[in-house]
Amino acid sequence: MMIRSWTKLPALLVLFMCLTNVTAFSRTSSITRVPRKITGRTTPSSLQFSPAMKMNQRTSLQAVEGDFDAEAISRDVKEAQEGTLKSKFRSFYKFTRPHTIRGTILASIAGTTRALIDTPGAIANAQWGALLPRALIGMLALLMGNAFIVGINQIYDEDIDKLNKPFLPVASGEMSKKFAWAAVLTCGTIGPLYMAGWTLGAIYSVPPIRTKQNAIAAGLTIATVRGFLLNFGVYFAVKDAIGAPFSWSPKVSFIARFMTIFASVIAITKDLPDIEGDKAYNIETFASKVGVGRIAKGASICLFLNYVHAILTGVLSKTGAYNRIPMIGGHIALASTLLGRYKQLNPDSISSIKKYYKHIWDLFYLEYVLYTLI
């Protein structure tokens, strides 16, 4: 019973996060970018919306990773200039790129749950008074490392984001460069436990290496952090914390393989809505070279084959290695969802492209539900 109650937590968190995303995107539609002169610089941060497209101020906070309300962003920038505590919190929230934070939180909870389930007596005999503070410190380190990585990227990509993601706080002017650097350095100092990911995240954005300028190097960087380091690191850190001996886990090996491929797909598809700015600043991506339609098709095929690999792993594995109903049935369900979402994609619509990308993240979240059940 105790184990079952633990496995419900990641599922509830995933459902909440996915429903939050659906709410944000369900109120959005197509947009037209119109350059606007701000402090002597031309930026596309002003958008034209029909009355039906208007979102209220609360929704604009939820929709920071999708289509957005230009009026709400302008209002946020004005409040930020006034220096209110609420505006600083809101800008920092956007600065952390919430959809990536959700992925880190879910990976941590799922990895912890998996380690406890795999260790007989771990839940019943755990010294929670000592373990919970360590778990909170570890989670904080991961989140701060995550914020450092996405933050340093926004600082160095400010001009590109003015074209691709003008809703981000540095690009819109809602957050000053000085405050952004202070946030990044603070997060980088607090999160040293995430040092390997911290380093890879830095070289992704910071010259002269700046791996994001090469499509293959960028994909490998993101896949290594999200696929390998996070999943192996959390699981074996928990095993060490509860005093369990090291043992190779086929389930951890599976999730690391699966999520490395998944993260590689995310690394490619994240550029689908960004072709305009990437071309303008000579950022080489698969999307800018091959085209949105072909990349979306290739990414969907790659993810589908990844699900086939998961299904075959469940079918061909030794008895007892996995719980076959969630391992096989769950991945069949997610593969079917993927195909349905791809059929809805219109590669000529920026709104449809963003929705497609958002659904890929939803599938990423849902995979961690299965991970606690397999």
Side-chain angles (χ1 to χ4, degrees):
M1 182 64 69
M2 294 182 71
I3 290 178
R4 289 181 180 176
S5 65
W6 268 83
T7 58
K8 289 179 182 177
L9 179 58
L12 292 173
L13 284 170
V14 170
L15 289 175
F16 171 76
M17 293 173 180
C18 291
L19 287 173
T20 299
N21 282 350
V22 168
T23 300
F25 273 79
S26 66
R27 303 188 188 185
T28 62
S29 185
S30 299
I31 58 176
T32 302
R33 297 187 176 192
V34 181
R36 182 181 65 175
K37 201 79 171 179
I38 299 179
T39 63
R41 301 179 67 179
T42 301
T43 72
S45 58
S46 179
L47 307 178
Q48 288 182 343
F49 290 78
S50 67
M53 299 178 194
K54 300 295 185 180
M55 295 184 292
N56 59 34
Q57 186 173 7
R58 185 180 65 163
T59 305
S60 71
L61 182 62
Q62 295 176 317
V64 292
E65 293 303 331
D67 293 337
F68 50 88
D69 186 342
E71 292 182 1
I73 292 175
S74 297
R75 186 166 53 246
D76 291 347
V77 172
K78 183 178 179 180
E79 290 183 9
Q81 292 172 348
E82 295 173 355
T84 65
L85 183 61
K86 178 182 177 182
S87 66
K88 289 185 180 297
F89 174 80
R90 180 173 52 238
S91 64
F92 183 73
Y93 173 81
K94 296 178 184 179
F95 189 67
T96 63
R97 306 298 298 277
H99 70 294
T100 66
I101 290 291
R102 296 184 193 112
T104 299
I105 292 173
L106 286 171
S108 301
I109 293 175
T112 300
T113 303
R114 183 77 266 159
L116 293 173
I117 292 174
D118 289 350
T119 307
I123 297 177
N125 300 323
Q127 298 179 0
W128 296 110
L131 289 178
L132 286 178
R134 292 180 64 182
L136 291 174
I137 292 173
M139 176 71 79
L140 179 63
L142 286 171
L143 294 180
M144 292 300 99
N146 194 122
F148 170 86
I149 291 172
V150 298
I152 198 75
N153 178 255
Q154 290 173 65
I155 291 173
Y156 280 93
D157 279 8
E158 180 185 3
D159 290 334
I160 301 173
D161 287 341
K162 287 181 184 296
L163 288 173
N164 291 337
K165 302 180 182 75
F167 51 83
L168 292 178
V170 176
S172 69
E174 185 179 348
M175 177 183 287
S176 68
K177 273 283 192 70
K178 183 178 179 180
F179 188 91
W181 271 114
V184 162
L185 293 176
T186 300
C187 291
T189 302
I190 294 176
L193 298 179
Y194 203 45
M195 189 56 69
W198 186 99
T199 303
L200 290 173
I203 65 174
Y204 174 83
S205 299
V206 179
I209 300 177
R210 196 163 162 78
T211 58
K212 74 165 292 174
Q213 291 184 311
N214 180 278
I216 295 176
L220 289 174
T221 301
I222 294 173
T224 300
V225 175
R226 283 252 169 230
F228 178 79
L229 291 177
L230 185 57
N231 293 296
F232 269 108
V234 170
Y235 181 86
F236 289 110
V238 173
K239 295 280 280 188
D240 179 70
I242 61 180
F246 176 86
S247 60
W248 192 255
S249 169
K251 295 173 183 177
V252 177
S253 178
F254 161 75
I255 198 67
R257 293 195 311 272
F258 187 94
M259 285 310 201
T260 296
I261 295 173
F262 210 124
S264 299
V265 171
I266 287 178
I268 295 172
T269 55
K270 73 178 181 59
D271 299 316
L272 292 178
D274 298 343
I275 292 180
E276 179 185 352
D278 290 339
K279 286 183 176 179
Y281 287 89
N282 297 317
I283 302 296
E284 181 183 283
T285 68
F286 287 113
S288 63
K289 294 176 65 176
V290 180
V292 171
R294 290 182 177 179
I295 289 299
K297 182 177 181 180
S300 298
I301 292 173
C302 186
L303 283 181
F304 182 77
L305 292 176
N306 203 24
Y307 284 122
V308 171
H309 143 256
I311 294 166
L312 290 178
T313 298
V315 171
L316 301 176
S317 63
K318 296 180 180 179
T319 302
Y322 300 95
N323 293 325
R324 292 193 171 180
I325 292 178
M327 185 67 177
I328 299 172
H331 285 108
I332 289 175
L334 294 184
S336 301
T337 301
L338 168 69
L339 294 178
R341 299 304 188 188
Y342 173 69
K343 289 181 180 179
Q344 297 174 2
L345 172 66
N346 176 6
D348 296 322
S349 167
I350 189 67
S351 176
S352 180
I353 293 170
K354 289 184 177 183
K355 188 175 292 187
Y356 169 78
Y357 177 58
K358 168 231 175 274
H359 287 316
I360 289 179
W361 271 98
D362 287 345
L363 291 172
F364 182 87
Y365 300 149
L366 289 168
E367 183 61 32
Y368 280 113
V369 175
L370 289 184
Y371 179 39
T372 65
L373 302 175
I374 63 174

